[in-house]
Amino acid sequence: MPIHVVYISPKHMDPTYAIERAGLGPEVELREWRATDPSALAEELQDADAVMTWRVRLNEEVISRLHRCRVIIRFGVGFDLVDIDAARWHGIPVCNVPDYCTNDVADHAMGLLLALNRAIPAFTENVRSGNEGWSWAGAGKLRRLTGSTLGIVGLGRIGTAVALRAKAFGLNVAFHDPYVPDGTERALGLTRLSLDDLLGSADFLSLHTPLTEETRGMAGSDFFAKAKQGVTLINTSRGPVVDLDALESAMRKGHVGAAALDVLPVEPPDPAPGLIQAWRDEEAWVRGRLIVTPHAAFYNEESDRDMRVKATQAVRDVLDGLPVRNQVNL
């Protein structure tokens, strides 16, 4: 019986799928489906030996049709789009690719932090408006980065990479992560704090948590009320971790000084939430205080290739009877 691997994606990542085809081998038939709702692919999924998915939700209904599936591979780090409990019940391991873009997302997070700290968006807009905006004082009061405190929520691979970069810039780095073993802070030269203490002391907050029931909406009204006045928020983790209405309210009040978002609860936003629409409309209160990037922190040519190679190798290993790597639904 031929080996079938189904690749589900809302768009072509590569029309030739050269990396995947080479990694899987000539005896594997790769079926590519551009879909946002895989529930319509009943027949195609029934004889799949493996499923590779990129930014497509796989719920229990879909997973229950995978009668032959030996592994589900989620392109990327986050796996909240896959019902991992349903997959476990059906005996299907779910794996992610946790290490392909660690440095890239950390670089993006630091780039956003530096851009807002140095008021680069505000300076750029001022100069673009004409020579009357040619002033070092045009972005208001700036604070020296060295000696400021970065608070990291979630000290996984990416959070750790951000911490090391921030220390090189002279920031004091503290973190909150109840799942990190004791002693991690000593090994890295960081400060471990409760979430409330972190919020009250950090000049910058960078979010690096997975999306779980515990973290969904975590950065809401109470979160921002406890944060230090004028804090800068950076989110390169998952969009639904931040309540955008609460963030807008906190920014309008001035409690949150600035924010940078690489991820949104709905991508692309349709309709755009109030904060995003105000930013698009260039309303005065938000001008220079918000950066939005299109869930692109992971991306460069090298990371894209790494993701595809690692995901494909994970499928090939399972097909060859080798141990499953990076399983998230043990």
Side-chain angles (χ1 to χ4, degrees):
M1 183 177 294
I3 300 173
H4 297 147
V5 173
V6 175
Y7 186 124
I8 308 174
S9 172
K11 63 181 181 179
H12 280 302
M13 294 181 68
D14 171 11
T16 69
Y17 294 91
I19 291 174
E20 291 78 9
R21 295 185 192 281
L24 292 172
E27 75 278 15
V28 175
E29 179 186 344
L30 180 66
R31 300 175 179 174
E32 183 265 335
W33 294 98
R34 280 192 293 167
T36 56
D37 180 11
S39 61
L41 306 178
E43 295 182 4
E44 291 80 4
L45 293 173
Q46 286 180 4
D47 63 350
D49 295 280
V51 172
M52 306 171 77
T53 180
W54 189 74
R55 295 190 181 180
V56 175
R57 184 172 300 281
L58 299 184
N59 57 23
E60 198 281 333
E61 177 189 0
V62 173
I63 291 170
S64 67
R65 298 173 178 174
L66 301 175
H67 303 312
R68 281 175 43 183
C69 187
R70 295 159 64 182
V71 66
I72 296 172
I73 299 293
R74 158 72 178 108
F75 283 100
V77 180
F79 48 86
D80 49 276
L81 289 176
V82 180
D83 188 333
I84 60 174
D85 294 328
R88 184 189 303 113
W89 192 88
H90 287 280
I92 304 172
V94 177
C95 304
N96 67 343
V97 186
D99 58 342
Y100 80 99
C101 64
T102 300
N103 290 327
D104 311 295
V105 178
D107 289 346
H108 199 88
M110 280 303 300
L112 295 172
L113 186 156
L114 293 170
L116 288 173
N117 174 254
R118 294 303 310 156
I120 290 173
F123 281 134
T124 300
E125 290 304 311
N126 289 348
V127 172
R128 185 168 64 177
S129 68
N131 285 345
E132 65 276 9
W134 192 272
S135 169
W136 54 265
K141 295 181 179 180
L142 304 185
R143 292 188 58 191
R144 177 177 291 163
L145 189 67
T146 302
S148 297
T149 297
L150 169 63
I152 294 176
V153 183
L155 198 74
R157 297 173 182 86
I158 296 171
T160 299
V162 171
L164 296 177
R165 283 159 171 75
K167 289 182 66 178
F169 277 92
L171 284 152
N172 301 315
V173 184
F175 75 94
H176 172 74
D177 191 330
Y179 302 102
V180 167
D182 291 345
T184 302
E185 64 274 21
R186 294 174 181 247
L188 296 174
L190 310 178
T191 301
R192 182 195 291 263
L193 295 174
S194 69
L195 182 57
D196 284 358
D197 287 343
L198 186 75
L199 294 176
S201 61
D203 302 292
F204 304 90
L205 286 168
S206 192
L207 306 183
H208 299 284
T209 69
L211 179 60
T212 65
E213 290 307 310
E214 183 180 6
T215 64
R216 185 181 295 274
M218 174 185 68
S221 298
D222 186 58
F223 180 98
F224 294 123
K226 294 177 180 178
K228 186 175 181 178
Q229 180 74 27
V231 68
T232 294
L233 177 77
I234 299 155
N235 186 19
T236 56
S237 61
R238 280 292 183 261
V241 171
V242 176
D243 181 332
L244 290 186
D245 290 337
L247 175 59
E248 179 185 1
S249 176
M251 290 183 70
R252 285 183 179 275
K253 295 174 182 176
H255 199 86
V256 172
L261 307 172
D262 182 57
V263 287
L264 299 175
V266 177
E267 298 174 354
D270 185 21
L275 174 62
I276 305 303
Q277 193 58 54
W279 173 71
R280 287 177 169 175
D281 291 341
E282 298 183 345
E283 293 184 13
W285 71 270
V286 75
R287 189 175 299 130
R289 298 173 61 200
L290 179 66
I291 299 175
V292 180
T293 55
H295 201 148
F298 75 96
Y299 179 72
N300 54 56
E301 291 185 7
E302 294 86 352
S303 69
D304 180 66
R305 178 178 177 81
D306 284 349
M307 175 181 67
R308 295 170 62 191
V309 168
K310 289 173 180 288
T312 303
Q313 186 59 53
V315 173
R316 186 68 256 184
D317 286 348
V318 171
L319 296 178
D320 289 340
L322 298 175
V324 178
R325 292 177 58 82
N326 301 316
Q327 183 174 351
V328 297
N329 65 335
L330 294 169

